Amino acid sequence: MLLLAVRENPVGAQGVTPRPYQFGGARFLSHRRHALLADEMRVGKTPQSILAADDVGAQRVLVLCPAIAVYQWQSEWAAWSPKRDPAVIFTDTAPPSDFKGVAIVSWTRAVQQHLPALTALPSWDVVIPDEAHFAKNPAAARTKALYGKGGLGWNSHYLWPLTGTPAPSHAGELWPMLRAFGAVKMDYPDFVRYFCYYDWAKNRVFGNKKQHLAELRALIAPWALRRTRIQVAPDMPKIGYSFFNVEPKPGVDLPSDNPEQVDKEDRIAVAMAKVPQLATEIVENLVGKEYAQTVVFGFHIEPLRYLGELLTEVGIDTSIIRGDTPQAARQNRLAAFAAGVTQVQLVQIMTAGTAIDLSAAQHGYFLELSYAPGDNEQAASRLVNLQTQAPVTFDVVNWPGTKDDAVQKTLMRKVSNAVFRT
């Protein structure tokens, strides 16, 4: 096995060398037929799994991921495994019977449309279920499709689930994966009764038995790798940036890749078109407990208001701080966010230069960037906690290959402390 070395950074101006911990994570996967990579968000689970697939010489790779992430996965394969043919996103059609390469399929399409075709294909070399906590309920169709007899995991040589939250609610959510790995022989009811508290009257699990946690950790240890950002990269900068690539909307783009030749109306149209995909991303991360809170910065109020409406409709506690928000209301909203009441704080960049503390969150998004790079840097710094020095990360919502893409990358190169990580 020979791990690949230097890769081109897909979002920065300079090349990037995988960090030692990323090589370590790739080796952990490539030396195990079944393994869970449970690193914290932004440690870089995606590139580690790509390095591992190359390490084992995989010719046929299937990636299962949320629909919002298919384009991000495609761009990551291009960046971290550039010698391969481009990864293929399959939507309405399934991979053909003679397919070789990297296939990317959303969880929904894989389970509802393409499962017979995907399992009828010759064995996959590697199956990578991203956001693997989607398959935590033994009775769910996606869990059976992945871990059940004759399913996608069954039909693969290597099975490497990825998730920063493998058991969002209780230890019983680990059972489908551990059973598929061969790590446990107990059936689900016995596993839950042993490791969890169960409310028989309400037929629900409500917590883990502390007296058995050490045994549970020992059971998982041979199969799982979990590291935090601070553990693996203590020198990580306070603020790191990545581009979060989503599908462009046909017919919508900036008219020029020169920021000085772009009108307000064009910028708003692009931002508005990105909102539904960003809303989906935020909901999935909150439900999956990748983070408890996040911040979204935008330049124009219309896209932020639209995003707030979509999140509120699905029960996400959201508030907006805009340029004309009265001081008293502004302080109340900041206090609610600091207390953990508000899950998503939407902020106009022009209001975020001073006197605003958003450090309750360690991750945020730029739906739009200011065309004054210093404004973006000032806004991002609002999440930095000087007491904990915890690293902060941002995703810049991006349409790869568009004029908007070119403008955003130009702007981010001008942010003095911008360090891009994949």
Side-chain angles (χ1 to χ4, degrees), residues 5-7 15-20 22-23 80:
V6 179
R7 310 288 175 162
V16 61
T17 301
R19 286 172 170 261
Q22 291 178 310
F23 283 124
W80 289 87

Side-chain angles (χ1 to χ4, degrees), residues 31-89:
H31 284 71
R32 290 165 175 79
R33 182 176 181 185
H34 299 145
L36 166 68
L37 186 59
D39 286 345
E40 184 182 38
M41 186 179 186
R42 285 290 161 262
V43 168
K45 295 184 286 293
T46 299
Q48 291 178 80
S49 65
I50 293 171
L51 289 170
D54 284 347
D55 196 20
V56 300
Q59 297 298 307
R60 294 164 44 79
V61 181
L62 174 63
V63 175
L64 300 174
C65 64
I68 189 67
V70 294
Y71 283 87
Q72 183 71 11
W73 266 99
Q74 187 180 54
S75 66
E76 295 280 23
W77 276 99
W80 289 87
S81 189
K83 294 183 180 180
R84 285 184 181 268
D85 290 337
V88 182
I89 297 171

Side-chain angles (χ1 to χ4, degrees), residues 34 66 143 189 207 394:
H34 299 145
T143 307
F394 275 91

Side-chain angles (χ1 to χ4, degrees), residues 355-388:
I356 183 170
D357 182 1
L358 299 168
S359 61
Q362 294 178 18
H363 179 265
Y365 299 90
F366 279 95
L367 173 59
E368 292 180 276
L369 293 166
S370 169
Y371 279 16
D375 292 347
N376 303 318
E377 184 176 1
Q378 284 292 321
S381 68
R382 299 302 102 198
L383 275 66
V384 173
N385 188 317
L386 297 179
Q387 279 67 49
T388 66

Side-chain angles (χ1 to χ4, degrees), residues 74-141:
Q74 187 180 54
S75 66
E76 295 280 23
W77 276 99
W80 289 87
S81 189
K83 294 183 180 180
R84 285 184 181 268
D85 290 337
V88 182
I89 297 171
F90 288 94
T91 53
D92 293 330
T93 59
S97 58
D98 59 349
F99 177 81
K100 286 188 178 180
V102 178
I104 303 172
V105 187
S106 73
W107 279 97
T108 299
R109 290 187 182 275
V111 174
Q112 296 183 2
Q113 291 181 247
H114 304 320
L115 188 59
L118 292 172
T119 53
L121 287 163
S123 178
W124 294 96
D125 295 328
V126 176
V127 170
I128 303 173
D130 187 24
E131 306 296 349
H133 53 271
F134 280 20
K136 64 182 184 293
N137 182 348

Side-chain angles (χ1 to χ4, degrees), residues 16-17 106 114 135 155 160 237 261 270 284 288 294 334 347 374 420:
V16 61
T17 301
S106 73
H114 304 320
N155 194 39
W160 299 329
Q261 298 177 4
V270 168
E284 289 180 348
T294 192
L334 289 173
V347 185
F420 287 93

